[in-house]
Amino acid sequence: MLNNRTQALVGIAMSAIIASSLFPMAAHAQTPALSNLQPRTENGRQIYDVVQFERFNPRTALDIVNQIPGFIVDTGDNNERGLGQADENVLINGARISGKNNDAFTMLRRISVENIVRLEIVDGATLSISGLSGQVLNVVTNGDDDRGVTGNFRWQPQFRRAGENWFAGDISISGPLGKGEFTIALENDAFRNGAQGREHITFPNATDRNFIRDEVARVRGDRPTLSTSYTSTSTTGSIFNINAEYGINHFRERVATDRSKPGELDITENFAGRENEWNAEVSADYEFDLGGGRLKLIGLQRLEHSPFENIFEQRFTDGVTPPRGNQFNRTIDEGESVLRAEYSWKTDGGTDWGVNVEGAYNFLESEGALLVRDAQGVFQPILLDNANSKVTEYRGEIIGTYGRALTDNLTLQTTLGGEYSQISQNGPLGQTRSFIRPKGSISLAWKPQDDLDFSFKLERKVDQLNFFDFVASVDVSNDVRNAGNPALVPPQSWNAEVEGTFNLGAFGSTTVTGYYNKISDIVDAIPITATTEALGNLDSATQYGISVVSTFLLDSLGWKGAKIDVEAEARRSSVLDPLTGVKRRISNDFIYEYEINFRHDIPNSNFAYGGSIQRFDGFPQTRLDQTADFDELAPYAAVFIEHKDVFGLTVNANLGNLFNRSDRFVRTDYVARRDGPINFIENRNRKFGLIYRLTVSGSF
């Protein structure tokens, strides 16, 4: 049930929507016309104008991008080594987004609709930007210094069984400053989650030990981030960008459990986790003409400080038995420094050349302590090898690029180079190792006709290691320990991808992508001793799948203003299990996911309504001593109603979890290793009820 404050807020919001509908003059309503969402084609690019999206009453570039038929934003790999080659499928004025924390969603949300000239969809292989392939969006903005200061804001309160979240939202202001443009933004990605339910613990070989837990879990977090950016273009065409960001991440988790078993004392179990993190990033780039080409210099510095503590304890209802439990505290300091230079030029015939050079330094320093209650219930320190350690990596790479049009409708882009890295870890188990790895790719973009695009990419890639896997850690709630592994090496892979985009004209657009990855030195659980394990490298693995992104416009079928967006992906993978010698899927790899969204913008009105349904299924996390499987027992479904001009604001009311989905977690623990007898099975089913979300957005 909603409490009185929540009911009042929902009532006010609905009253405002109704009032705006009944008294449109008071709201200055202008009913948006239904527009044609078909792009026009110019020089092989699909062009969209802002006016085509008026029916959605967009406030920001992201509002428009979310409605482009058959296109979704791909932010790439946030764990990419250094800055590397471009992997996000969004450009701003033909340039990749600077920095690492500034992803495409963040940047698009800060661009006001008034500042957009047009939006272009183009195959990345036809651009002079190393690494891009497939469908890429380029948002072209104006440089009008007389447009003044503009701003956008979004407030997104949410109400659910776990509690109320009043503080999620963002606001940004941008405008001219000197010879350039500034942006200041404040965002809080706040959340209040939680669920409750019953957990059954069964011992197949000792049924008299079975017991039940009644659990209530609550998770909350506030992640306020203040960021600012400035960009300037000189009269000679030189471009300067600088970005700075500072954020705080306060995370709290609590699970309260009543544990019962006939004939025994009831036990109260409590788990509490907390983290107080701060992070900061500064990046800058300067691009200018040099010789017969163009040079871009980029620098980035990122720092993060993350102290956290996890406590698990059991207390007995007799008031006499001492409490049991353990506590794991850890402080993590990590950082990244990157310097990069990109030089590109053209030769006769329109051939693109480029050389990219990058140097990077990464580090992670961990200080961890494990405390376990003794027989008297007093915390005692326990020696935890490899918990206090520092991991560093020095890395350098050089990549050459070559691109040219082979025919009028076929374009080639290739990259070739390599990297040198030195990874070190201090402490008694530490070591220093060096690696030289080749890297490169070949991409083809083929446009046989205006409504059909194909792209192909073959890439040799070196992945970034997670430095957390080098040091020891403890999951106190499940009594699981990872020893840490100083001998980890970066995985490498051959990745092949084929993508086809089909413009269905008045019926929409669809993009189908197939991929195959051959991975060497993949990271998975390996034995360290007869009783301990950690993440290590296995020889090889394969991964392949297919994804579909489609938009179906229903106007041609007589349902004016209605559309359906579909995203779906299915994947298979294979790795040789180090314990059983039998092939299985990659641990924690996903099996399939889908999301279907329906939206109807009612003609000659400011109203829209719709709904969505989505589901995800993944393969269990597989350790040597246990497996852990998370399942969604039903799809997540939601409906919404939206008014685009509630006294100048857009108000969207969303009701989620219509099928009362619950989340199931099954953990199977073995006596020793996973190829032996089962110790116990933990089967948990938690429900989280309906979710009420209100989104209020506006511009100024």
Side-chain angles (χ1 to χ4, degrees):
M1 295 294 292
L2 297 180
N3 62 30
N4 292 336
R5 286 192 302 169
T6 303
Q7 294 180 24
L9 180 64
V10 173
I12 292 172
M14 296 307 298
S15 299
I17 292 176
I18 295 172
S20 182
S21 176
L22 294 176
F23 305 103
M25 293 303 294
H28 308 289
Q30 293 182 354
T31 302
L34 291 181
S35 52
N36 182 0
L37 295 181
Q38 299 178 58
R40 66 180 188 277
T41 301
E42 295 181 3
N43 300 320
R45 302 189 176 204
Q46 299 178 41
I47 309 297
Y48 291 93
D49 297 315
V50 174
V51 68
Q52 293 178 260
F53 300 89
E54 279 188 344
R55 79 193 209 194
F56 306 110
N57 194 27
R59 309 282 181 169
T60 68
L62 183 60
D63 295 335
I64 292 180
V65 173
N66 285 337
Q67 304 301 335
I68 294 178
F71 180 84
I72 60 171
V73 174
D74 182 1
T75 58
D77 185 0
N78 292 331
N79 294 318
E80 187 74 26
R81 297 167 71 77
L83 292 172
Q85 302 180 84
D87 62 350
E88 286 192 306
N89 66 345
V90 174
L91 305 174
I92 308 297
N93 293 320
R96 59 185 292 193
I97 296 171
S98 300
K100 299 191 73 171
N101 288 335
N102 291 329
D103 64 18
F105 288 106
T106 302
M107 296 303 293
L108 292 173
R109 192 177 290 123
R110 298 173 185 173
I111 299 175
S112 298
V113 168
E114 294 80 7
N115 298 340
I116 301 174
V117 176
R118 65 183 181 277
L119 301 98
E120 306 171 341
I121 301 289
V122 61
D123 195 298
T126 64
L127 303 173
S128 302
I129 300 177
S130 176
L132 287 181
S133 65
Q135 296 294 289
V136 175
L137 168 71
N138 180 36
V139 180
V140 181
T141 64
N142 58 41
D144 184 5
D145 292 339
D146 296 328
R147 67 179 180 275
V149 176
T150 61
N152 303 289
F153 68 88
R154 180 179 58 119
W155 180 47
Q156 198 168 51
Q158 178 179 282
F159 318 98
R160 56 186 295 175
R161 179 183 298 173
E164 303 169 347
N165 179 13
W166 296 90
F167 306 109
D170 56 81
I171 184 170
S172 64
I173 301 173
S174 61
L177 179 64
K179 296 182 178 180
E181 179 177 319
F182 78 93
T183 298
I184 299 176
L186 177 63
E187 177 181 3
N188 185 21
D189 186 13
F191 57 91
R192 304 288 187 271
N193 299 332
Q196 60 191 56
R198 176 164 286 192
E199 179 177 78
H200 295 265
I201 291 81
T202 58
F203 292 80
N205 299 315
T207 57
D208 60 320
R209 299 174 60 190
N210 297 349
F211 60 89
I212 295 174
R213 290 184 174 122
D214 286 301
E215 300 183 327
V216 177
R218 295 291 182 263
V219 181
R220 60 182 295 158
D222 287 285
R223 296 179 284 195
T225 300
L226 177 65
S227 59
T228 182
S229 64
Y230 178 77
T231 181
S232 175
T233 303
S234 71
T235 55
T236 59
S238 299
I239 303 172
F240 172 73
N241 293 289
I242 185 169
N243 305 278
E245 180 177 296
Y246 179 81
I248 298 172
N249 181 6
H250 283 181
F251 174 83
R252 300 291 185 269
E253 179 180 7
R254 182 173 294 277
V255 181
T257 302
D258 291 326
R259 171 175 165 172
S260 60
K261 178 182 176 182
E264 291 192 4
L265 288 173
D266 289 346
I267 301 174
T268 299
E269 297 181 336
N270 288 287
F271 169 78
R274 58 185 296 161
E275 180 179 6
N276 295 308
E277 173 193 307
W278 64 260
N279 55 79
E281 179 182 301
V282 177
S283 64
D285 59 79
Y286 182 54
E287 182 180 347
F288 56 96
D289 291 330
L290 181 66
R294 191 88 169 161
L295 177 63
K296 187 173 185 178
L297 303 174
I298 309 170
L300 177 141
Q301 178 64 62
R302 182 179 63 85
L303 295 171
E304 185 175 308
H305 176 73
S306 305
F308 69 85
E309 62 180 31
N310 291 331
I311 303 173
F312 176 78
E313 67 175 8
Q314 296 177 326
R315 294 188 176 272
F316 298 82
T317 56
D318 62 359
V320 177
T321 304
R324 296 191 300 226
N326 46 33
Q327 177 175 343
F328 181 58
N329 303 329
R330 183 157 71 170
T331 298
I332 296 291
D333 289 289
E334 53 184 319
E336 181 176 24
S337 305
V338 182
L339 291 175
R340 182 177 177 87
E342 301 175 348
Y343 186 66
S344 59
W345 70 97
K346 289 182 178 290
T347 56
D348 293 341
T351 301
D352 295 310
W353 299 85
V355 176
N356 306 321
V357 180
E358 180 172 301
Y361 167 69
N362 299 301
F363 76 88
L364 180 144
E365 187 169 7
S366 170
E367 295 182 2
L370 176 63
L371 304 172
V372 177
R373 290 188 186 273
D374 60 18
Q376 287 71 44
V378 179
F379 276 118
Q380 300 293 341
I382 300 296
L383 179 63
L384 191 62
D385 292 335
N386 200 31
N388 300 318
S389 184
K390 184 175 183 178
V391 185
T392 61
E393 180 185 31
Y394 293 91
R395 184 180 57 82
E397 73 168 30
I398 181 169
I399 302 288
T401 66
Y402 169 84
R404 58 166 298 179
L406 302 179
T407 66
D408 290 341
N409 60 4
L410 182 63
T411 302
L412 168 72
Q413 184 192 88
T414 63
T415 69
L416 182 63
E419 73 167 40
Y420 167 83
S421 64
Q422 182 187 85
I423 300 177
S424 302
Q425 183 174 2
N426 63 11
L429 301 178
Q431 52 184 296
T432 298
R433 295 157 300 137
S434 299
F435 307 94
I436 297 178
R437 300 286 172 82
K439 303 171 72 172
S441 65
I442 179 170
S443 301
L444 289 169
W446 180 40
K447 193 175 183 65
Q449 55 195 52
D450 285 346
D451 58 357
L452 187 59
D453 288 89
F454 287 102
S455 68
F456 168 79
K457 183 175 184 179
L458 177 64
E459 179 183 22
R460 178 63 170 176
K461 186 177 180 181
V462 181
D463 289 331
Q464 176 65 44
L465 286 169
N466 185 345
F467 287 172
F468 283 87
D469 298 337
F470 282 73
V471 296
S473 62
V474 180
D475 177 358
V476 297
S477 63
N478 294 315
D479 195 23
V480 172
R481 301 187 186 187
N482 290 310
N485 185 6
L488 281 164
V489 302
Q492 304 175 85
S493 61
W494 284 102
N495 303 333
E497 180 179 283
V498 178
E499 180 179 285
T501 297
F502 309 89
N503 188 336
L504 306 178
F507 292 98
S509 176
T510 188
T511 297
V512 181
T513 304
Y515 58 89
Y516 179 88
N517 304 325
K518 178 67 174 178
I519 310 167
S520 57
D521 295 324
I522 187 171
V523 175
D524 209 317
I526 65 168
I528 298 297
T529 68
T531 58
T532 62
E533 64 180 275
L535 292 176
N537 297 104
L538 302 182
D539 287 340
S540 64
T542 58
Q543 191 179 65
Y544 57 93
I546 186 170
S547 66
V548 178
V549 179
S550 301
T551 296
F552 302 105
L553 305 175
L554 306 183
D555 300 67
S556 298
L557 302 179
W559 199 350
K560 300 297 183 181
K563 70 186 185 79
I564 298 174
D565 295 299
V566 178
E567 300 175 33
E569 183 174 356
R571 178 187 295 173
R572 289 192 64 88
S573 61
S574 176
V575 67
L576 192 66
D577 191 288
L579 184 64
T580 65
V582 177
K583 287 187 176 181
R584 58 166 170 82
R585 289 180 185 261
I586 296 172
S587 177
N588 261 348
D589 200 17
F590 87 87
I591 299 172
Y592 72 86
E593 61 182 346
Y594 66 81
E595 181 176 352
I596 303 172
N597 291 277
F598 167 75
R599 179 183 175 99
H600 182 207
D601 293 88
I602 301 174
N604 303 315
S605 81
N606 278 310
F607 278 100
Y609 67 92
S612 63
I613 185 170
Q614 56 184 288
R615 193 165 190 176
F616 169 92
D617 188 27
F619 188 72
Q621 180 187 35
T622 306
R623 292 171 48 91
L624 299 182
D625 58 357
Q626 63 179 241
T627 62
D629 189 18
F630 179 86
D631 287 319
E632 300 174 348
L633 296 186
Y636 181 89
V639 293
F640 75 87
I641 182 172
E642 177 179 292
H643 196 290
K644 306 166 192 176
D645 193 356
V646 179
F647 305 104
L649 304 175
T650 298
V651 178
N652 182 296
N654 182 291
L655 177 62
N657 199 25
L658 301 179
F659 297 156
N660 196 26
R661 192 193 87 188
S662 60
D663 296 332
R664 183 177 65 183
F665 176 77
V666 179
R667 183 166 70 107
T668 304
D669 184 85
Y670 295 81
V671 174
R673 296 299 199 193
R674 193 168 16 88
D675 55 354
I678 294 175
N679 181 22
F680 65 84
I681 299 174
E682 178 181 335
N683 193 330
R684 181 178 75 208
N685 190 351
R686 292 178 180 171
K687 295 185 176 182
F688 53 90
L690 292 172
I691 299 176
Y692 307 83
R693 180 181 293 114
L694 191 67
T695 302
V696 181
S697 57
S699 305
F700 55 89

